[in-house]
Amino acid sequence: MSESVNRRKFLRGTAVAAAASLAAPSVARAEGTTLKMQAAWGGGIFLENAQSYVDRVHAMAGNDLKIDLLPVNSVVKTSQMQDAVHRGVLDAAHYVPAYWYSKSKTASLFGTGPCFGWSSQEVLGWVNYGGGQELFDELMASLGLNVVSFFNSPMPAQPLGWFKEQIKDASQMDGLKYRTVGLAADVLLEMGMSVVQLPGGEIQPAMKSGLIDAAEFNNPTSDRDFGMQDVSKHYHLASFHQSQEFFEVTFNKKKYESLPEELQAILKYASEAENSNFYWHNTKRYADDLGTLQNEQGVNVYRTPDSVMAAQLEAWDVVVDRISGEDPFFAKVIESQKVYAKNVMNYLNLNQPDYKLAYNHYFG
């Protein structure tokens, strides 16, 4: 069977198969609590990641707490998930803040904001030890949202993505119709691109039909599952448009606070445990699938030129300054991030050896 046929079966079958396998309840004691959680993913590695979080909760809580994990669109559309959790239609959701940032552009700073020389790991450090969680809770209160959220799973920098030709200079991106989400849309608009925000499953058909000229989603594994290698052979890794992101696991606050303290702690610390597992698990999968794209499926893989990434940083400056002038809370979060990044990255930059030097020494 051909690769394209296999992929079509994947795209058609993941949501149905996931619904059947993930939504099926397991036997629990009568006194146990069951939470209904919808994920923003219909299949693929991100739904696996959501299931991994749920598995950790089950391992620690036993029969006292059960999470029924539902795939994308099972109860509401992705754009409605946060409101559904707020209202109690869903007990929980597994997604990213960029999926609801239209309510507040500050949301995009929690995972898809500007790069101050840090990676997703350090942004999560800011969330946990630099005041980020408190600022997020303040944002939720200001929006009147009845939710409690935890963050996990430090994603590697997202590729610049798939193009019809190799990008050697930022000028080639001017006027291109490009898919991205969150504040990255504002940044790339500032660079002269025409930005379209599409769900993951619509990216490949949109590029195939010519609706868009170029696109990114997140990583080599998901991109390969979507079949991007069938509509482009030019794949650019490294970018500052979304160089740090992670998952948000959000719960209805009233439901969460009704749980015994030990179960509340399990939901929180299972998130921390999944943080490490995600990085170990996903980087290996991404590396393997990148090799398949490059060595078996004829994809040309490039590192995005420094000139393009320098132009992205300049665009970020314009966007951040503009929104900070319009929104004092946005500016407050930016300042908190800068304080943390300047301190922590000063240490890391001084202390970390040049790992690429060692890599080249052994592997060329």
Side-chain angles (χ1 to χ4, degrees), residues 10-164:
F10 166 83
L11 293 172
R12 289 197 305 267
T14 47
V16 175
S21 62
L22 296 177
S26 61
V27 178
R29 293 205 308 263
E31 65 268 24
T33 298
T34 298
L35 302 179
K36 181 167 58 180
M37 172 186 282
Q38 182 175 307
W41 332 111
I45 196 167
F46 282 178
L47 191 62
E48 293 178 39
N49 296 145
Q51 183 65 56
S52 183
Y53 168 76
V54 169
D55 290 345
R56 278 160 174 71
V57 172
H58 291 171
M60 289 187 275
N63 290 327
D64 293 331
L65 183 62
K66 167 89 167 54
I67 296 178
D68 283 341
L69 180 63
L70 310 173
V72 67
N73 298 332
S74 294
V75 179
V76 297
K77 295 180 179 180
T78 299
S79 60
Q80 301 170 328
M81 286 169 63
Q82 187 189 62
D83 285 334
V85 175
H86 164 72
R87 299 195 315 270
V89 175
L90 291 169
D91 299 312
H94 186 284
Y95 56 0
V96 291
Y99 284 2
W100 60 266
Y101 97 113
S102 59
K103 290 183 180 177
S104 170
K105 290 195 174 183
T106 304
S108 204
L109 299 180
F110 293 86
T112 53
C115 181
F116 300 122
W118 56 1
S119 72
S120 301
Q121 288 280 21
E122 288 77 49
V123 183
L124 282 168
W126 166 75
V127 167
N128 287 282
Y129 292 101
Q133 184 69 58
E134 291 78 7
L135 287 168
F136 184 83
D137 294 342
E138 185 178 343
L139 175 62
M140 295 298 95
S142 72
L143 295 174
L145 290 170
N146 179 41
V147 300
V148 173
S149 293
F150 304 116
F151 300 97
N152 65 62
S153 304
M155 299 180 188
Q158 296 182 28
L160 182 63
W162 301 81
F163 293 79
K164 294 180 179 178

Side-chain angles (χ1 to χ4, degrees), residues 65-293:
L65 183 62
K66 167 89 167 54
I67 296 178
D68 283 341
L69 180 63
L70 310 173
V72 67
N73 298 332
S74 294
V75 179
V76 297
K77 295 180 179 180
T78 299
S79 60
Q80 301 170 328
M81 286 169 63
Q82 187 189 62
D83 285 334
V85 175
H86 164 72
R87 299 195 315 270
V89 175
L90 291 169
D91 299 312
H94 186 284
Y95 56 0
V96 291
Y99 284 2
W100 60 266
Y101 97 113
S102 59
K103 290 183 180 177
S104 170
K105 290 195 174 183
T106 304
S108 204
L109 299 180
F110 293 86
T112 53
C115 181
F116 300 122
W118 56 1
S119 72
S120 301
Q121 288 280 21
E122 288 77 49
V123 183
L124 282 168
W126 166 75
V127 167
N128 287 282
Y129 292 101
Q133 184 69 58
E134 291 78 7
L135 287 168
F136 184 83
D137 294 342
E138 185 178 343
L139 175 62
M140 295 298 95
S142 72
L143 295 174
L145 290 170
N146 179 41
V147 300
V148 173
S149 293
F150 304 116
F151 300 97
N152 65 62
S153 304
M155 299 180 188
Q158 296 182 28
L160 182 63
W162 301 81
F163 293 79
K164 294 180 179 178
E165 61 181 1
Q166 181 181 359
I167 300 298
K168 299 179 180 180
D169 184 79
S171 62
Q172 292 174 260
M173 299 172 68
D174 188 45
L176 291 182
K177 292 176 290 184
Y178 180 85
R179 181 272 177 191
T180 191
V181 295
L183 270 183
D186 297 64
V187 171
L188 296 171
L189 281 169
E190 185 65 32
M191 292 179 65
M193 302 184 82
S194 175
V195 178
V196 179
Q197 302 200 41
L198 296 170
E202 296 180 19
I203 299 172
Q204 197 260 23
M207 195 162 175
K208 186 175 183 179
S209 68
L211 177 65
I212 56 177
D213 303 311
E216 59 80 43
F217 177 68
N218 187 281
N219 62 79
T221 298
S222 298
D223 288 352
R224 183 169 174 262
D225 285 343
F226 287 139
M228 295 304 295
Q229 66 276 8
D230 294 337
V231 295
S232 169
K233 295 298 183 184
H234 300 284
Y235 192 30
H236 289 73
L237 301 189
S239 179
F240 284 131
H241 79 288
Q242 285 184 300
S243 57
Q244 61 278 322
E245 190 173 21
F246 33 79
F247 293 132
E248 177 185 353
V249 183
T250 190
F251 298 90
N252 176 274
K253 187 175 182 180
K254 183 177 180 180
K255 186 76 172 183
Y256 175 81
E257 291 180 346
S258 73
L259 297 172
E261 289 186 0
E262 60 269 24
L263 295 184
Q264 294 182 31
I266 285 173
L267 293 176
K268 176 181 179 179
Y269 293 119
S271 177
E272 291 190 7
E274 178 55 23
N275 202 60
S276 296
N277 180 69
F278 170 93
Y279 192 78
W280 301 330
H281 173 266
N282 283 40
T283 51
K284 177 63 165 62
R285 287 275 292 277
Y286 296 169
D288 290 346
D289 281 308
L290 180 66
T292 300
L293 287 168

